[in-house]
Amino acid sequence: MVGFEQRLGAVLAERRQQGLYRQRLTLESAQGPVVRVDGKEYLNFCSNDYLGLAAHPKVIESFQRAASAYGVGSGASHLVCGHSHPHRALEEALAELTGRGRALLFSSGFAANTGTLTTLLQPGDHVFQDRLNHASLLDGGLHSGARFRRFAHNDVADLQRRLAAAQGLKLVVVDGVFSMDGDSAPLARLAALCRREQAWLMVDDAHGFGVMGDNGAGSVQAAGLGSGDVPVLMATLGKALGSAGAFVAGDELLIEGLIQQARNYIYTTAIPPAVAAAALTALHLLREESWRREHLHQLIARFRRGAAELGLALMHSNSAIQPLLCGEAARAVELSRQLRERGLLIGAIRPPTVPAGTSRLRITLSAGHSEQQVDRLLEELGRCQCS
Ligand SMILES: *Cc1c(COP(=O)(O)O)cnc(C)c1O
């Protein structure tokens, strides 16, 4: 019989041998365009802090002030006595920004997705997910007991065939902006199809919220859609908002359903009130410092122009995520290593996060970057011959 040690050991050995072993960096600085690791400074092109809000002085100040007033730990789950004024104020502001009746905070995006899917779906229902959806959406769908189908990436015709063949309650789930490719879901066409097929549409906008749409309201708003088109909207606070946690926004019925039934909501400690206060300040900054979004979009255009001139294999992305396809895992790892030697931090994304043969450098841009820093990135990429 194989024990746990042998099983764990075999997986580690296999990962090492295939060049898929992952290791963590330990940062010695705040998140930002430049970070310190092992006493050395690196230009950071792998963070999801797309607007440079994680270490914004006003966000830090709100966090500190709320920690003084509310302490650090929330002390309990939301339904016991862990729900405080900053949580409530943040939920109200999120509902307003997303144009929905209510919003509900979760401790993480992973919990929000699995909790929402397992609450909405039952055995006998059908859930349809884009092949490239985030792991938490796939896990939630699989755990729900509903019949689970994946459709080809951004392929509305493929989804249409699958929807037409299914009977019963149907839920379609997509990322608004895909986390490893950076491209956007065709939300308007998906919404029209879902309306015809009487399916609900759920969008995970972890990478669009704060970055896309007026005032950063996200991909759904940018596509001109409302809660009638996309009844379930989820986004995270740990990326463009520079904080932590996540939320689901929708109408009263959806939110009350989640409060009463979502196990990932009920049986977990609320995020610290100070984290909610920091996220609320970040939310105000989406409006007050709209230059951040404009600057980010200028940097994205600048990067794409420069990369095209270098002949690099760009993907169809107009988001802050600008991956460069490398193919084999070993090649992506080698390029990432070379860039790191030259002072640039860019993660190599390998299977199982992306399909075999599509390993890539996942370059992310932030409003915290300057044009000069993006030019430096292009210069180094040109030197490393990434295409
Ligand atoms: C990061 C991410 C999540 C998970 O959010 P966390 O708050 O980090 O748990 C969910 N969906 C997508 C698309 C993500 O990129």
PDB file of all heavy atoms in Angstrom, residues 84-114:
ATOM      1  N   SER A  84     -19.501  44.490  10.698  1.00  0.00           N
ATOM      2  CA  SER A  84     -19.373  45.806  11.325  1.00  0.00           C
ATOM      3  C   SER A  84     -19.720  46.908  10.326  1.00  0.00           C
ATOM      4  O   SER A  84     -19.964  46.647   9.144  1.00  0.00           O
ATOM      5  CB  SER A  84     -17.949  45.990  11.833  1.00  0.00           C
ATOM      6  OG  SER A  84     -17.065  45.925  10.741  1.00  0.00           O
ATOM      7  N   HIS A  85     -19.692  48.138  10.823  1.00  0.00           N
ATOM      8  CA  HIS A  85     -20.075  49.266   9.980  1.00  0.00           C
ATOM      9  C   HIS A  85     -19.256  49.365   8.689  1.00  0.00           C
ATOM     10  O   HIS A  85     -19.824  49.576   7.618  1.00  0.00           O
ATOM     11  CB  HIS A  85     -20.024  50.570  10.773  1.00  0.00           C
ATOM     12  CG  HIS A  85     -20.500  51.724   9.957  1.00  0.00           C
ATOM     13  ND1 HIS A  85     -21.833  51.947   9.682  1.00  0.00           N
ATOM     14  CD2 HIS A  85     -19.812  52.662   9.282  1.00  0.00           C
ATOM     15  CE1 HIS A  85     -21.947  52.987   8.886  1.00  0.00           C
ATOM     16  NE2 HIS A  85     -20.733  53.452   8.631  1.00  0.00           N
ATOM     17  N   PRO A  86     -17.905  49.217   8.727  1.00  0.00           N
ATOM     18  CA  PRO A  86     -17.160  49.280   7.467  1.00  0.00           C
ATOM     19  C   PRO A  86     -17.605  48.223   6.441  1.00  0.00           C
ATOM     20  O   PRO A  86     -17.652  48.512   5.242  1.00  0.00           O
ATOM     21  CB  PRO A  86     -15.705  49.051   7.907  1.00  0.00           C
ATOM     22  CG  PRO A  86     -15.664  49.522   9.322  1.00  0.00           C
ATOM     23  CD  PRO A  86     -16.998  49.153   9.894  1.00  0.00           C
ATOM     24  N   HIS A  87     -17.959  47.031   6.890  1.00  0.00           N
ATOM     25  CA  HIS A  87     -18.469  46.011   5.959  1.00  0.00           C
ATOM     26  C   HIS A  87     -19.743  46.508   5.289  1.00  0.00           C
ATOM     27  O   HIS A  87     -19.923  46.392   4.085  1.00  0.00           O
ATOM     28  CB  HIS A  87     -18.789  44.699   6.693  1.00  0.00           C
ATOM     29  CG  HIS A  87     -17.610  44.008   7.297  1.00  0.00           C
ATOM     30  ND1 HIS A  87     -17.502  43.770   8.649  1.00  0.00           N
ATOM     31  CD2 HIS A  87     -16.474  43.501   6.747  1.00  0.00           C
ATOM     32  CE1 HIS A  87     -16.359  43.141   8.895  1.00  0.00           C
ATOM     33  NE2 HIS A  87     -15.720  42.981   7.761  1.00  0.00           N
ATOM     34  N   ARG A  88     -20.613  47.042   6.123  1.00  0.00           N
ATOM     35  CA  ARG A  88     -21.899  47.477   5.603  1.00  0.00           C
ATOM     36  C   ARG A  88     -21.746  48.638   4.622  1.00  0.00           C
ATOM     37  O   ARG A  88     -22.350  48.652   3.542  1.00  0.00           O
ATOM     38  CB  ARG A  88     -22.779  47.897   6.780  1.00  0.00           C
ATOM     39  CG  ARG A  88     -24.135  48.328   6.330  1.00  0.00           C
ATOM     40  CD  ARG A  88     -25.047  48.545   7.502  1.00  0.00           C
ATOM     41  NE  ARG A  88     -26.129  49.416   7.081  1.00  0.00           N
ATOM     42  CZ  ARG A  88     -27.101  49.812   7.888  1.00  0.00           C
ATOM     43  NH1 ARG A  88     -27.107  49.430   9.148  1.00  0.00           N
ATOM     44  NH2 ARG A  88     -28.045  50.583   7.439  1.00  0.00           N
ATOM     45  N   ALA A  89     -20.890  49.600   4.979  1.00  0.00           N
ATOM     46  CA  ALA A  89     -20.682  50.763   4.106  1.00  0.00           C
ATOM     47  C   ALA A  89     -20.076  50.318   2.773  1.00  0.00           C
ATOM     48  O   ALA A  89     -20.454  50.831   1.703  1.00  0.00           O
ATOM     49  CB  ALA A  89     -19.759  51.767   4.806  1.00  0.00           C
ATOM     50  N   LEU A  90     -19.172  49.363   2.824  1.00  0.00           N
ATOM     51  CA  LEU A  90     -18.547  48.872   1.588  1.00  0.00           C
ATOM     52  C   LEU A  90     -19.579  48.161   0.715  1.00  0.00           C
ATOM     53  O   LEU A  90     -19.627  48.377  -0.503  1.00  0.00           O
ATOM     54  CB  LEU A  90     -17.372  47.945   1.922  1.00  0.00           C
ATOM     55  CG  LEU A  90     -16.677  47.289   0.722  1.00  0.00           C
ATOM     56  CD1 LEU A  90     -16.113  48.331  -0.253  1.00  0.00           C
ATOM     57  CD2 LEU A  90     -15.545  46.366   1.193  1.00  0.00           C
ATOM     58  N   GLU A  91     -20.420  47.335   1.329  1.00  0.00           N
ATOM     59  CA  GLU A  91     -21.452  46.627   0.543  1.00  0.00           C
ATOM     60  C   GLU A  91     -22.375  47.621  -0.149  1.00  0.00           C
ATOM     61  O   GLU A  91     -22.732  47.452  -1.313  1.00  0.00           O
ATOM     62  CB  GLU A  91     -22.262  45.688   1.444  1.00  0.00           C
ATOM     63  CG  GLU A  91     -21.464  44.448   1.864  1.00  0.00           C
ATOM     64  CD  GLU A  91     -22.255  43.438   2.694  1.00  0.00           C
ATOM     65  OE1 GLU A  91     -23.338  43.799   3.214  1.00  0.00           O
ATOM     66  OE2 GLU A  91     -21.795  42.305   2.827  1.00  0.00           O
ATOM     67  N   GLU A  92     -22.739  48.678   0.579  1.00  0.00           N
ATOM     68  CA  GLU A  92     -23.652  49.667  -0.025  1.00  0.00           C
ATOM     69  C   GLU A  92     -22.990  50.389  -1.192  1.00  0.00           C
ATOM     70  O   GLU A  92     -23.604  50.616  -2.232  1.00  0.00           O
ATOM     71  CB  GLU A  92     -24.139  50.648   1.052  1.00  0.00           C
ATOM     72  CG  GLU A  92     -25.131  49.971   1.997  1.00  0.00           C
ATOM     73  CD  GLU A  92     -25.494  50.793   3.242  1.00  0.00           C
ATOM     74  OE1 GLU A  92     -24.986  51.935   3.378  1.00  0.00           O
ATOM     75  OE2 GLU A  92     -26.266  50.275   4.066  1.00  0.00           O
ATOM     76  N   ALA A  93     -21.709  50.719  -1.028  1.00  0.00           N
ATOM     77  CA  ALA A  93     -20.992  51.427  -2.101  1.00  0.00           C
ATOM     78  C   ALA A  93     -20.796  50.518  -3.322  1.00  0.00           C
ATOM     79  O   ALA A  93     -20.868  50.976  -4.462  1.00  0.00           O
ATOM     80  CB  ALA A  93     -19.644  51.925  -1.577  1.00  0.00           C
ATOM     81  N   LEU A  94     -20.550  49.227  -3.069  1.00  0.00           N
ATOM     82  CA  LEU A  94     -20.372  48.290  -4.184  1.00  0.00           C
ATOM     83  C   LEU A  94     -21.677  48.104  -4.960  1.00  0.00           C
ATOM     84  O   LEU A  94     -21.675  48.033  -6.187  1.00  0.00           O
ATOM     85  CB  LEU A  94     -19.879  46.932  -3.654  1.00  0.00           C
ATOM     86  CG  LEU A  94     -18.422  46.896  -3.175  1.00  0.00           C
ATOM     87  CD1 LEU A  94     -18.139  45.630  -2.367  1.00  0.00           C
ATOM     88  CD2 LEU A  94     -17.463  47.003  -4.364  1.00  0.00           C
ATOM     89  N   ALA A  95     -22.795  48.049  -4.232  1.00  0.00           N
ATOM     90  CA  ALA A  95     -24.094  47.914  -4.890  1.00  0.00           C
ATOM     91  C   ALA A  95     -24.355  49.142  -5.757  1.00  0.00           C
ATOM     92  O   ALA A  95     -24.798  49.041  -6.907  1.00  0.00           O
ATOM     93  CB  ALA A  95     -25.197  47.744  -3.846  1.00  0.00           C
ATOM     94  N   GLU A  96     -24.005  50.304  -5.229  1.00  0.00           N
ATOM     95  CA  GLU A  96     -24.251  51.538  -5.982  1.00  0.00           C
ATOM     96  C   GLU A  96     -23.385  51.585  -7.237  1.00  0.00           C
ATOM     97  O   GLU A  96     -23.874  51.867  -8.332  1.00  0.00           O
ATOM     98  CB  GLU A  96     -23.973  52.748  -5.090  1.00  0.00           C
ATOM     99  CG  GLU A  96     -24.625  54.001  -5.635  1.00  0.00           C
ATOM    100  CD  GLU A  96     -23.935  55.269  -5.173  1.00  0.00           C
ATOM    101  OE1 GLU A  96     -23.386  55.291  -4.062  1.00  0.00           O
ATOM    102  OE2 GLU A  96     -23.935  56.233  -5.967  1.00  0.00           O
ATOM    103  N   LEU A  97     -22.091  51.306  -7.088  1.00  0.00           N
ATOM    104  CA  LEU A  97     -21.187  51.391  -8.237  1.00  0.00           C
ATOM    105  C   LEU A  97     -21.579  50.400  -9.330  1.00  0.00           C
ATOM    106  O   LEU A  97     -21.489  50.703 -10.518  1.00  0.00           O
ATOM    107  CB  LEU A  97     -19.735  51.126  -7.799  1.00  0.00           C
ATOM    108  CG  LEU A  97     -18.695  51.136  -8.928  1.00  0.00           C
ATOM    109  CD1 LEU A  97     -18.627  52.506  -9.609  1.00  0.00           C
ATOM    110  CD2 LEU A  97     -17.316  50.761  -8.415  1.00  0.00           C
ATOM    111  N   THR A  98     -22.019  49.204  -8.941  1.00  0.00           N
ATOM    112  CA  THR A  98     -22.346  48.184  -9.939  1.00  0.00           C
ATOM    113  C   THR A  98     -23.805  48.282 -10.396  1.00  0.00           C
ATOM    114  O   THR A  98     -24.235  47.488 -11.235  1.00  0.00           O
ATOM    115  CB  THR A  98     -22.073  46.760  -9.400  1.00  0.00           C
ATOM    116  OG1 THR A  98     -22.855  46.563  -8.209  1.00  0.00           O
ATOM    117  CG2 THR A  98     -20.602  46.568  -9.061  1.00  0.00           C
ATOM    118  N   GLY A  99     -24.552  49.234  -9.838  1.00  0.00           N
ATOM    119  CA  GLY A  99     -25.934  49.451 -10.268  1.00  0.00           C
ATOM    120  C   GLY A  99     -26.855  48.294  -9.942  1.00  0.00           C
ATOM    121  O   GLY A  99     -27.724  47.936 -10.732  1.00  0.00           O
ATOM    122  N   ARG A 100     -26.661  47.708  -8.770  1.00  0.00           N
ATOM    123  CA  ARG A 100     -27.474  46.569  -8.369  1.00  0.00           C
ATOM    124  C   ARG A 100     -28.120  46.825  -7.007  1.00  0.00           C
ATOM    125  O   ARG A 100     -27.677  47.692  -6.269  1.00  0.00           O
ATOM    126  CB  ARG A 100     -26.597  45.317  -8.290  1.00  0.00           C
ATOM    127  CG  ARG A 100     -26.380  44.716  -9.651  1.00  0.00           C
ATOM    128  CD  ARG A 100     -25.014  44.153  -9.851  1.00  0.00           C
ATOM    129  NE  ARG A 100     -24.788  44.074 -11.294  1.00  0.00           N
ATOM    130  CZ  ARG A 100     -25.130  43.021 -12.039  1.00  0.00           C
ATOM    131  NH1 ARG A 100     -25.631  41.945 -11.481  1.00  0.00           N
ATOM    132  NH2 ARG A 100     -24.963  43.046 -13.334  1.00  0.00           N
ATOM    133  N   GLY A 101     -29.131  46.048  -6.698  1.00  0.00           N
ATOM    134  CA  GLY A 101     -29.851  46.255  -5.456  1.00  0.00           C
ATOM    135  C   GLY A 101     -28.985  46.046  -4.226  1.00  0.00           C
ATOM    136  O   GLY A 101     -29.029  46.810  -3.264  1.00  0.00           O
ATOM    137  N   ARG A 102     -28.172  44.986  -4.258  1.00  0.00           N
ATOM    138  CA  ARG A 102     -27.382  44.619  -3.076  1.00  0.00           C
ATOM    139  C   ARG A 102     -26.019  44.082  -3.483  1.00  0.00           C
ATOM    140  O   ARG A 102     -25.825  43.650  -4.614  1.00  0.00           O
ATOM    141  CB  ARG A 102     -28.087  43.494  -2.281  1.00  0.00           C
ATOM    142  CG  ARG A 102     -29.481  43.756  -1.781  1.00  0.00           C
ATOM    143  CD  ARG A 102     -29.539  44.299  -0.354  1.00  0.00           C
ATOM    144  NE  ARG A 102     -28.832  43.538   0.660  1.00  0.00           N
ATOM    145  CZ  ARG A 102     -29.356  42.597   1.439  1.00  0.00           C
ATOM    146  NH1 ARG A 102     -30.605  42.218   1.286  1.00  0.00           N
ATOM    147  NH2 ARG A 102     -28.643  42.022   2.386  1.00  0.00           N
ATOM    148  N   ALA A 103     -25.114  44.088  -2.521  1.00  0.00           N
ATOM    149  CA  ALA A 103     -23.825  43.411  -2.703  1.00  0.00           C
ATOM    150  C   ALA A 103     -23.509  42.705  -1.398  1.00  0.00           C
ATOM    151  O   ALA A 103     -23.932  43.142  -0.330  1.00  0.00           O
ATOM    152  CB  ALA A 103     -22.722  44.397  -3.063  1.00  0.00           C
ATOM    153  N   LEU A 104     -22.778  41.604  -1.497  1.00  0.00           N
ATOM    154  CA  LEU A 104     -22.452  40.791  -0.320  1.00  0.00           C
ATOM    155  C   LEU A 104     -20.961  40.480  -0.324  1.00  0.00           C
ATOM    156  O   LEU A 104     -20.433  39.979  -1.319  1.00  0.00           O
ATOM    157  CB  LEU A 104     -23.257  39.486  -0.374  1.00  0.00           C
ATOM    158  CG  LEU A 104     -23.141  38.567   0.838  1.00  0.00           C
ATOM    159  CD1 LEU A 104     -23.829  39.197   2.059  1.00  0.00           C
ATOM    160  CD2 LEU A 104     -23.752  37.203   0.532  1.00  0.00           C
ATOM    161  N   LEU A 105     -20.304  40.772   0.800  1.00  0.00           N
ATOM    162  CA  LEU A 105     -18.860  40.520   0.900  1.00  0.00           C
ATOM    163  C   LEU A 105     -18.575  39.051   1.215  1.00  0.00           C
ATOM    164  O   LEU A 105     -19.267  38.436   2.028  1.00  0.00           O
ATOM    165  CB  LEU A 105     -18.253  41.358   2.027  1.00  0.00           C
ATOM    166  CG  LEU A 105     -18.181  42.861   1.807  1.00  0.00           C
ATOM    167  CD1 LEU A 105     -17.630  43.537   3.066  1.00  0.00           C
ATOM    168  CD2 LEU A 105     -17.310  43.178   0.605  1.00  0.00           C
ATOM    169  N   PHE A 106     -17.554  38.543   0.588  1.00  0.00           N
ATOM    170  CA  PHE A 106     -17.015  37.221   0.907  1.00  0.00           C
ATOM    171  C   PHE A 106     -15.549  37.407   1.305  1.00  0.00           C
ATOM    172  O   PHE A 106     -14.938  38.405   0.962  1.00  0.00           O
ATOM    173  CB  PHE A 106     -17.099  36.278  -0.303  1.00  0.00           C
ATOM    174  CG  PHE A 106     -18.470  35.702  -0.543  1.00  0.00           C
ATOM    175  CD1 PHE A 106     -19.463  36.457  -1.166  1.00  0.00           C
ATOM    176  CD2 PHE A 106     -18.771  34.398  -0.154  1.00  0.00           C
ATOM    177  CE1 PHE A 106     -20.721  35.917  -1.401  1.00  0.00           C
ATOM    178  CE2 PHE A 106     -20.023  33.850  -0.386  1.00  0.00           C
ATOM    179  CZ  PHE A 106     -21.003  34.611  -0.999  1.00  0.00           C
ATOM    180  N   SER A 107     -15.001  36.401   1.985  1.00  0.00           N
ATOM    181  CA  SER A 107     -13.614  36.525   2.456  1.00  0.00           C
ATOM    182  C   SER A 107     -12.593  36.374   1.343  1.00  0.00           C
ATOM    183  O   SER A 107     -11.454  36.800   1.484  1.00  0.00           O
ATOM    184  CB  SER A 107     -13.333  35.489   3.546  1.00  0.00           C
ATOM    185  OG  SER A 107     -14.243  35.701   4.602  1.00  0.00           O
ATOM    186  N   SER A 108     -12.983  35.750   0.250  1.00  0.00           N
ATOM    187  CA  SER A 108     -12.087  35.652  -0.909  1.00  0.00           C
ATOM    188  C   SER A 108     -12.925  35.416  -2.152  1.00  0.00           C
ATOM    189  O   SER A 108     -14.097  35.023  -2.065  1.00  0.00           O
ATOM    190  CB  SER A 108     -11.088  34.503  -0.743  1.00  0.00           C
ATOM    191  OG  SER A 108     -11.736  33.268  -0.964  1.00  0.00           O
ATOM    192  N   GLY A 109     -12.293  35.647  -3.289  1.00  0.00           N
ATOM    193  CA  GLY A 109     -12.975  35.372  -4.549  1.00  0.00           C
ATOM    194  C   GLY A 109     -13.233  33.883  -4.710  1.00  0.00           C
ATOM    195  O   GLY A 109     -14.261  33.470  -5.254  1.00  0.00           O
ATOM    196  N   PHE A 110     -12.294  33.101  -4.233  1.00  0.00           N
ATOM    197  CA  PHE A 110     -12.467  31.646  -4.333  1.00  0.00           C
ATOM    198  C   PHE A 110     -13.736  31.224  -3.574  1.00  0.00           C
ATOM    199  O   PHE A 110     -14.566  30.469  -4.077  1.00  0.00           O
ATOM    200  CB  PHE A 110     -11.229  30.924  -3.778  1.00  0.00           C
ATOM    201  CG  PHE A 110     -10.984  29.598  -4.428  1.00  0.00           C
ATOM    202  CD1 PHE A 110      -9.957  29.434  -5.347  1.00  0.00           C
ATOM    203  CD2 PHE A 110     -11.799  28.514  -4.134  1.00  0.00           C
ATOM    204  CE1 PHE A 110      -9.743  28.198  -5.966  1.00  0.00           C
ATOM    205  CE2 PHE A 110     -11.593  27.286  -4.749  1.00  0.00           C
ATOM    206  CZ  PHE A 110     -10.572  27.119  -5.667  1.00  0.00           C
ATOM    207  N   ALA A 111     -13.893  31.760  -2.373  1.00  0.00           N
ATOM    208  CA  ALA A 111     -15.076  31.418  -1.559  1.00  0.00           C
ATOM    209  C   ALA A 111     -16.355  31.972  -2.194  1.00  0.00           C
ATOM    210  O   ALA A 111     -17.401  31.317  -2.174  1.00  0.00           O
ATOM    211  CB  ALA A 111     -14.906  31.967  -0.149  1.00  0.00           C
ATOM    212  N   ALA A 112     -16.281  33.166  -2.757  1.00  0.00           N
ATOM    213  CA  ALA A 112     -17.478  33.772  -3.374  1.00  0.00           C
ATOM    214  C   ALA A 112     -17.960  32.898  -4.531  1.00  0.00           C
ATOM    215  O   ALA A 112     -19.159  32.625  -4.666  1.00  0.00           O
ATOM    216  CB  ALA A 112     -17.158  35.180  -3.867  1.00  0.00           C
ATOM    217  N   ASN A 113     -17.031  32.441  -5.348  1.00  0.00           N
ATOM    218  CA  ASN A 113     -17.434  31.648  -6.514  1.00  0.00           C
ATOM    219  C   ASN A 113     -17.968  30.280  -6.120  1.00  0.00           C
ATOM    220  O   ASN A 113     -19.032  29.866  -6.583  1.00  0.00           O
ATOM    221  CB  ASN A 113     -16.248  31.488  -7.470  1.00  0.00           C
ATOM    222  CG  ASN A 113     -16.062  32.729  -8.331  1.00  0.00           C
ATOM    223  OD1 ASN A 113     -16.991  33.505  -8.519  1.00  0.00           O
ATOM    224  ND2 ASN A 113     -14.860  32.916  -8.846  1.00  0.00           N
ATOM    225  N   THR A 114     -17.242  29.578  -5.268  1.00  0.00           N
ATOM    226  CA  THR A 114     -17.713  28.237  -4.917  1.00  0.00           C
ATOM    227  C   THR A 114     -19.011  28.348  -4.104  1.00  0.00           C
ATOM    228  O   THR A 114     -19.941  27.576  -4.312  1.00  0.00           O
ATOM    229  CB  THR A 114     -16.640  27.439  -4.146  1.00  0.00           C
ATOM    230  OG1 THR A 114     -16.161  28.237  -3.073  1.00  0.00           O
ATOM    231  CG2 THR A 114     -15.465  27.095  -5.045  1.00  0.00           C
TER     232      THR A 114
END
